[in-house]
């Protein structure tokens, strides 16, 4: 029995457009994205990881040490590179990218956007729980210590536009991660090249 090609694989879908996946604070969009990429074999681009590689440090460290306003421009440039890459990919976009107007317009023009939503107060409580569990650097765009909802309100408001223009919007308060995974997989099928 010849097993030489046993570990060779090809993606189960080939998309005509990239899919950008993101969501409200504390939503497990990154975990869902990694699982979906593993199931389908599509190329995965995690924009925050690309940005950290470019910076040579974590986003948390970069924002804490420099507080450099150029981060939005860098995020936008990395997004543009990801959107132009081939083959078309599943792109995971964090809060920084999805709260930037120019980046949202680029996503809207060049890809399908899937947004995983939570009511803001639920997101706030879940964010507090995540910070307690994983530490503050899990959310590089939130000032710490996080004590009040008003601290995240500007970020929540800036993420609202991504929610409004999303091609697919999922309410994570009523849906499980598993059902969202299945529905995004069906979106991949719709975007498959013929």
């Amino acid at each position: 029995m010849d097993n030489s090609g046993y570990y060779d694989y090809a993606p189960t879908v080939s998309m005509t457009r990239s899919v950008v996946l993101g969501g409200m604070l504390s939503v497990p969009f990154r975990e869902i994205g990694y699982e979906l990429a593993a199931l389908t074999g599509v190329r995965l681009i995690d924009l925050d990881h690309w940005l950290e590689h470019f910076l040579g440090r974590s986003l948390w460290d970069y924002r804490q040490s420099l507080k450099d306003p150029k981060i939005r421009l860098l995020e936008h440039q990395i997004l543009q590179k990801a959107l132009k890459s081939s083959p078309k990919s599943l792109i995971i976009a964090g809060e920084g990218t999805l709260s930037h107007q120019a980046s949202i317009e680029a996503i809207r023009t060049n890809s399908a956007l899937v947004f995983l939503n939570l009511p803001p107060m639920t997101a706030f409580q879940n964010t507090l729980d995540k910070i307690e569990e994983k530490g503050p650097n899990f959310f590089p765009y939130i000032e710490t210590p996080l004590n009040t909802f008003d601290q995240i309100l500007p970020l929540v408001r800036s993420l609202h536009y991504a929610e409004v223009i999303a091609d697919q919007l999922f309410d994570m308060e009523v849906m499980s991660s598993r059902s969202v995974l299945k529905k995004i997989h069906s979106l991949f099928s719709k975007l498959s090249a013929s």
Side-chain angles (χ1 to χ4, degrees):
M1 184 168 151
D2 181 15
N3 289 331
S4 60
Y6 180 77
Y7 291 104
D8 293 340
Y9 72 95
T12 59
V13 290
S14 175
M15 299 181 299
T16 55
R17 292 192 312 165
S18 289
V19 173
V20 176
L21 175 63
M24 185 54 71
L25 293 168
S26 79
V27 169
F29 59 86
R30 189 163 268 112
E31 293 88 341
I32 290 171
Y34 275 83
E35 187 169 349
L36 187 60
L39 288 172
T40 61
V42 298
R43 182 173 181 228
L44 176 73
I45 298 173
D46 188 324
L47 293 177
D48 285 354
H49 291 171
W50 272 26
L51 185 58
E52 288 175 336
H53 178 75
F54 177 81
L55 295 171
R57 60 170 71 178
S58 74
L59 283 175
W60 170 262
D61 288 342
Y62 183 78
R63 293 201 74 236
Q64 294 303 307
S65 64
L66 300 178
K67 307 230 184 260
D68 190 338
K70 293 179 187 173
I71 190 78
R72 296 291 188 209
L73 178 59
L74 290 172
E75 285 172 333
H76 186 67
Q77 290 170 342
I78 286 173
L79 170 66
Q80 293 282 13
K81 180 179 177 183
L83 290 171
K84 291 176 185 170
S85 68
S86 186
K88 297 304 178 188
S89 309
L90 173 60
I91 300 170
I92 297 175
E95 300 91 23
T97 301
L98 291 180
S99 63
H100 185 236
Q101 186 71 31
S103 293
I104 286 293
E105 291 305 323
I107 290 168
R108 188 178 194 186
T109 303
N110 299 297
S111 64
L113 175 61
V114 176
F115 192 84
L116 310 181
N117 196 30
L118 267 180
M121 286 305 292
T122 304
F124 172 67
Q125 187 57 54
N126 290 354
T127 300
L128 286 173
D129 294 345
K130 278 274 196 218
I131 288 173
E132 186 175 321
E133 176 190 341
K134 298 191 178 242
N137 60 349
F138 195 73
F139 296 100
Y141 292 94
I142 295 176
E143 300 302 322
T144 55
L146 179 60
N147 299 310
T148 67
F149 175 74
D150 288 344
Q151 289 175 266
I152 67 164
L153 189 55
L155 185 54
V156 167
R157 285 183 177 149
S158 62
L159 287 170
H160 181 68
Y161 187 60
E163 174 189 344
V164 169
I165 62 105
D167 296 283
Q168 292 212 345
L169 179 67
F170 297 109
D171 183 351
M172 296 301 290
E173 195 165 50
V174 298
M175 295 182 75
S176 69
S177 294
R178 180 67 41 210
S179 61
V180 168
L181 191 66
K182 287 179 184 175
K183 289 191 178 284
I184 300 173
H185 193 287
S186 71
L187 173 64
F188 279 17
S189 298
K190 292 176 189 172
L191 294 174
S192 287
S194 42

